[in-house]
Amino acid sequence: MGERDEPGTIGRRVQQLRVARGLTQKQLAEPVYTPAYISTLEAGRVRPSDDALRHLAERLGVEFDELATGRSARQVTEMRLRLTEAQRVLAVGEAESAVEQYTALLAEAEAQELPEEQAAALLGLGECALDTGELVHGRRYFEEAEARLADAPLPARVPALRGRAVAHYLAGELRYAVYLLESTIDELNRGGLHDPDALLLLYASVIGPYMDMGAHARAAQAAEFALALAPQSGDPALVARMHRSVARTLLAEGRLAEADASLAKAAELYRGLQLRTELANCHWMRGYVYAQNGELERAEAEMREALDMLSAARATLYSSQLTVELADVLHRRGRSEEAAELLRDVLGGLSPERGAVHAAAAHRLLGIIAEDARDTDRAEEHYVRALSLLERAGAAGDLADLCRLLGDLLRRTGRVEAALDAYRTGLGHRTAPGTTTLGPAPAQPPV
């Protein structure tokens, strides 16, 4: 059996239940034990065996777990049912409602000392914070979830690790985000812990940081791995709803083990729903590759598909980032006015602490569009804003390109010394294509 309370706690619980049911010590003891044994047990001077607890639980009309730990298997299963419901609410984009549910569940799980359920509630709160852009809060929730799961196997800790990495990435801390994701991928693959869901989360999550660091080869490889690992299902929301309903029925019938099995299936499917955001990133990556190859119509189609997926999940911050790249494709297709309108709309949701790299990309593209319109003052203003954002984030690949654009603009307007300074700054930020500053790529999965 698992952990149980101390003898004194169990003894007091037995006595309270016995008195509440109007039983004497003799009535509780018969026919297997003696009144003296019950007296000793209630005083906390003996540790009851599993057989003794089963006998007492049956006589008292409670479950074994409730007598041994103070919480029943039914209570735990009901909490898991509510966790899957909160997971469903978050998956369909109702973050505010999900926050309320997860907060209440966390308080209950802490009161009942259930570490796994505490971690699940904290993970949910962290995901809600990512959706709403509250990155500092999100990172703290993920850190707390990791702490609750400190003794669990690595695949069980991956969602918390991945969440923390994404929070750092969205805050502009690219190198640390990549370090967290790569080291976890490497540990999973080299240790033979080939959990498909865990690896899918990690590979899909590392694409964005790779792209922003100029590591395009690694990003493309990660996208292919993620797509190869992606689970296939027809309508996960419908199947999950069915499992949740079945679990409720089984629970009412007292079939706890079967209810738990249905809840596990529902939770897995809701995780799949949340992976829509990650799979959207893979379409995003494909769109980027098409754009690099000059296949702009295909690039726009892939990016719009990704944007639809992200909008359905109400992933506002990710949607803003993708919109910047879609605007670049539209500009290259000769639709600059449409691109500029998208960029101006999206800048309201980005900041140095919230999507810094993509805010810089928006300013860079607005600068290019202003140059095309021969508005050099406005172009320079956008380039300088972008430069400030990229320097804070450490996005080396983008910095080098931006310094070249700024240098060319300054040279054309007759400011040669300022142009040379910009070029020198850019040279200091050059990186080899397909690399990061973090050494070799992680080990590959068996796909």
Side-chain angles (χ1 to χ4, degrees), residues 124-156:
L125 287 168
E127 293 293 343
C128 291
L130 289 187
D131 275 7
T132 56
E134 298 172 283
L135 304 180
V136 174
H137 292 305
R139 190 169 67 244
R140 288 175 183 160
Y141 286 132
F142 291 125
E143 287 170 352
E144 287 183 39
E146 279 187 78
R148 302 295 200 284
L149 296 171
D151 297 326
L154 180 58

Side-chain angles (χ1 to χ4, degrees), residues 162-309:
R162 170 258 176 198
R164 186 155 57 93
V166 171
H168 283 290
Y169 164 54
L170 295 176
E173 299 162 11
L174 306 182
R175 289 188 180 87
Y176 189 61
V178 170
Y179 163 74
L180 284 174
L181 294 166
E182 281 194 344
S183 58
T184 308
I185 290 170
D186 208 37
E187 190 174 348
L188 281 169
N189 286 330
R190 293 192 186 281
L193 301 170
H194 302 304
D195 183 293
D197 286 340
L199 287 169
L200 176 56
L201 273 176
L202 294 167
Y203 279 117
S205 299
V206 82
I207 292 169
Y210 276 157
M211 294 298 298
D212 293 342
M213 292 183 74
H216 300 155
R218 285 199 189 183
Q221 185 182 59
E224 290 307 314
F225 287 155
L227 289 168
L229 289 162
Q232 301 298 313
S233 62
D235 184 352
L238 182 62
V239 180
R241 194 177 304 122
M242 178 272 293
H243 280 300
R244 198 160 45 87
S245 299
V246 168
R248 196 182 303 277
T249 302
L250 293 169
L251 187 61
E253 295 174 358
R255 296 156 65 184
L256 303 182
E258 292 169 78
D260 262 342
S262 273
L263 287 174
K265 291 175 184 175
E268 180 180 355
L269 288 162
Y270 286 134
R271 281 195 294 274
L273 279 174
Q274 289 183 342
L275 287 175
R276 285 175 60 85
T277 300
E278 311 307 332
L279 294 176
N281 284 332
C282 297
H283 286 289
W284 183 347
M285 176 62 198
R286 278 180 170 167
Y288 176 86
V289 171
Y290 287 141
Q292 294 302 299
N293 292 335
E295 301 174 74
L296 300 180
E297 186 175 349
R298 294 181 74 183
E300 182 180 348
E302 286 284 348
M303 289 183 179
R304 287 196 183 279
E305 182 172 356
L307 193 56
D308 286 344
M309 293 175 75

